[in-house]
Amino acid sequence: MDKEEILYIIKNNLIGNNKLKLLLADVNTVDIAEIFEEVDRETVIRLFRILPKPLASDVFAYIESDNQQIIIEALTDTEIGEIMRGLFMDDAVDFIEEMPANVVNRVLQNVTGEKRKLINQILQYPDDSAGSIMTTEYVFLYEDDTVKEAFDTIRNTGVNKETIYTCYVIRKNRLLLGVVSAKDLMLALPHQRIKEIMYANPIFAGTTDDREIIADQFQKYGLIAMPVVDKEQRLVGIITVDDIVDVIVEENTEDIEKMGALAPSSEPYLKTGVFKLSKNRIVWLLILMISATFTGIIITNFEAKMVALPILMVFIPLLMDTGGNAGAQTSTLIIRGMAVGEISPKDIFRILWKEIRVALLCGFGLGIVNFIWVFAVYGQNLMLSIAVTVTLYSTLIIAKMLGSVLPIFARRVKIDPAIMAAPMITTIVDALSLIIYFMIASAILGL
């Protein structure tokens, strides 16, 4: 039975709690969590209470924060303790970060002293660091353990660990020595020592390393987990691929919002208030509006030339839009290339030369079409056709150059390259295209 059918049963109250409990036990935890988003407050509490205890913590980790708060406020202290014991450390920290202070205090009062200490430790790491997304539930082995002893360790401790597919080899002082996969263990002989089969130079992260860089390493090396060490190279946690997927989604969302001239928001669109949406947009709209006034100033300065030849006004939208679109195309590709590690600031001259050649080819094709169109439609005026076509060609070259250079420059000066996306590039190119247009028109048409 799929999620929609179960949701229909719940909303129409077609079966009792006992049958519903059995029904939910066979549904994927993520799908169960999605059901919670489709029901009212009272049903959220009822559904969570009928979940089998081993399943409840798994589902809780995937429920949206507003419903998590509803559930916690409805549970007893004992029930809260059971939920927190079942949560992996990274999920527990994510949950606590989203809760108001009164809920956090109550939750922390109902966890073990050791877990409370670990939660508080992880919460102290910067939000964009490896330490903030790591979990402390991992399997560790000692270098002198045999393969047989390693399997015994995994059987005894693995049930409460986030992953057992990669195990970490340490010394007694928790110094990270290497990693060993489940495949390596299964293919090894029972009497072999872990140090004989481990990979001794693992890819690892420091607790303060930027999580976006770590996401790039996961992609580059095809990792499913990465160890996290402190300044003394002691193992303190691991980052798993499911957490990195969340990081990638968040970072991409933030970049897309910046590219659209929006202040980044961590809340879903439908759950964000109108006032907050307006606040996230108005600052950039104001900046772009003020910067766009330069276009008006330029037009005013060349007003006399437009009075002498009013038809010049007809081509302003064409030139501004084409230049803006060309610059936006290039900046999008460059920003994307830097985001996935294909492009670095040292490539600036190669990129610039490539984009100039692209602009020359695109400009040649667009120029021919534009020349024929202007000449045919606007009185077969040869000099006007040449002026508009040369301006178009020049605007395309400058737009492509700016679209390639500005994002790289932003990276150089430690600014997010996404800021130099379509709205900003378009505004700059609009002003430059007007200046070029009127200068070329003045020279060719003798204004």
Side-chain angles (χ1 to χ4, degrees):
M1 185 173 292
D2 63 23
K3 184 186 71 175
E4 296 301 324
E5 291 175 313
I6 294 176
L7 190 59
Y8 178 81
I9 290 171
I10 292 170
K11 287 185 175 181
N12 291 278
N13 201 25
L14 299 180
I15 60 176
N17 285 351
N18 289 334
K19 289 185 178 180
L20 184 57
K21 180 178 181 178
L22 294 174
L23 203 60
L24 290 173
D26 293 327
V27 180
N28 184 279
T29 53
V30 177
D31 290 333
I32 297 176
E34 289 179 354
I35 290 173
F36 278 78
E37 304 307 310
E38 304 290 334
V39 296
D40 57 33
R41 181 188 181 96
E42 289 72 21
T43 307
V44 164
I45 298 170
R46 180 173 72 91
L47 279 181
F48 193 79
R49 286 192 178 279
I50 67 175
L51 289 176
K53 287 185 179 179
L55 182 61
S57 293
D58 293 338
V59 172
F60 187 83
Y62 292 102
I63 295 175
E64 294 290 337
S65 58
D66 51 354
N67 279 331
Q68 285 180 331
Q69 182 176 346
I70 290 172
I71 291 167
I72 289 296
E73 290 173 345
L75 297 180
T76 64
D77 288 348
T78 301
E79 290 171 327
I80 291 174
E82 291 175 353
I83 294 299
M84 294 305 296
R85 278 194 296 275
L87 284 178
F88 290 121
M89 185 60 63
D90 54 340
D91 293 327
V93 171
D94 289 343
F95 157 63
I96 287 174
E97 284 182 323
E98 298 292 329
M99 292 298 108
N102 62 316
V103 175
V104 171
N105 290 334
R106 187 178 174 213
V107 169
L108 291 179
Q109 289 172 3
N110 291 284
V111 298
T112 62
E114 181 182 357
K115 193 159 191 173
R116 187 185 309 118
K117 180 181 177 181
L118 288 171
I119 289 173
N120 288 328
Q121 179 182 337
I122 294 174
L123 287 172
Q124 291 175 4
Y125 292 113
D127 290 339
D128 59 352
S129 69
S132 68
I133 57 172
M134 71 180 183
T135 182
T136 56
E137 287 101 351
Y138 55 87
V139 176
F140 63 87
L141 307 170
Y142 295 111
E143 58 180 333
D144 290 323
D145 289 348
T146 64
V147 171
K148 181 180 181 304
E149 290 171 335
F151 276 120
D152 290 339
T153 299
I154 294 171
R155 291 189 192 95
N156 293 332
T157 64
V159 67
N160 295 319
K161 307 304 180 184
E162 184 142 348
T163 180
I164 62 171
Y165 304 114
T166 304
C167 302
Y168 301 90
V169 186
I170 62 173
R171 288 195 178 129
K172 297 295 182 182
N173 61 356
R174 305 192 72 80
L175 182 72
L176 179 65
L177 298 177
V179 297
V180 60
S181 68
K183 178 182 178 181
D184 295 330
L185 290 171
M186 286 186 286
L187 295 177
L189 299 173
H191 65 273
Q192 282 186 280
R193 300 287 177 183
I194 296 301
K195 61 185 177 183
E196 298 174 16
I197 63 172
M198 73 178 185
Y199 178 68
N201 296 297
I203 306 298
F204 63 87
T207 52
T208 57
D209 288 354
D210 189 284
R211 63 182 194 172
E212 192 170 358
I213 295 175
I214 295 168
D216 292 339
Q217 291 180 316
F218 265 79
Q219 180 183 14
K220 179 178 180 180
Y221 296 107
L223 302 175
I224 60 172
M226 178 188 288
V228 180
V229 300
D230 61 15
K231 293 180 180 179
E232 286 75 36
Q233 303 298 301
R234 293 176 301 190
L235 184 64
V236 293
I238 65 169
I239 298 172
T240 50
V241 69
D242 59 314
D243 297 311
I244 288 300
V245 170
D246 293 338
V247 169
I248 292 171
V249 170
E250 289 175 18
E251 294 294 340
N252 287 344
T253 300
E254 183 178 311
D255 285 346
I256 289 170
E257 289 172 335
K258 287 180 179 178
M259 290 172 72
L262 295 167
S265 173
S266 59
E267 298 179 8
Y269 174 80
L270 293 176
K271 294 185 179 181
T272 305
V274 173
F275 179 78
K276 188 166 185 178
L277 286 173
S278 302
K279 185 179 72 172
N280 289 344
R281 300 178 190 185
I282 194 168
V283 174
W284 269 107
L285 287 174
L286 182 62
I287 292 171
L288 293 172
M289 181 188 74
I290 293 173
S291 62
T293 58
F294 290 110
T295 303
I297 294 172
I298 294 168
I299 293 175
T300 302
N301 289 336
F302 288 96
E303 187 175 2
K305 300 183 186 303
M306 287 188 294
V307 170
L309 191 60
I311 198 171
L312 291 176
M313 285 289 293
V314 173
F315 304 103
I316 289 177
L318 178 148
L319 296 170
M320 291 173 61
D321 289 350
T322 303
N325 291 336
Q329 284 179 336
T330 302
S331 65
T332 299
L333 289 175
I334 300 303
I335 292 167
R336 185 261 176 194
M338 288 192 291
V340 300
E342 294 177 354
I343 295 172
S344 66
K346 68 180 181 181
D347 300 317
I348 183 168
F349 293 110
R350 291 175 58 196
I351 294 167
L352 190 57
W353 174 229
K354 177 172 282 190
E355 287 301 323
I356 289 173
R357 287 179 290 166
V358 170
L360 291 172
L361 289 174
C362 290
F364 181 76
L366 293 178
I368 291 175
V369 174
N370 182 76
F371 180 87
I372 295 172
W373 175 69
V374 174
F375 187 78
V377 174
Y378 293 94
Q380 298 182 356
N381 189 327
L382 179 62
M383 301 310 290
L384 176 65
S385 302
I386 292 174
V388 175
T389 302
V390 172
T391 303
L392 180 67
Y393 214 139
S394 304
T395 300
L396 272 172
I397 294 171
I398 291 176
K400 293 288 187 184
M401 291 173 65
L402 287 174
S404 60
V405 170
L406 288 181
I408 295 175
F409 173 76
R411 172 66 63 84
R412 282 281 193 186
V413 297
K414 309 298 183 184
I415 299 174
D416 193 330
I419 293 174
M420 297 297 178
M424 185 63 72
I425 295 288
T426 301
T427 302
I428 296 172
V429 171
D430 284 352
L432 291 176
S433 64
L434 282 177
I435 295 173
I436 295 168
Y437 179 40
F438 288 121
M439 290 177 65
I440 291 174
S442 299
I444 293 178
L445 300 174
L447 299 177

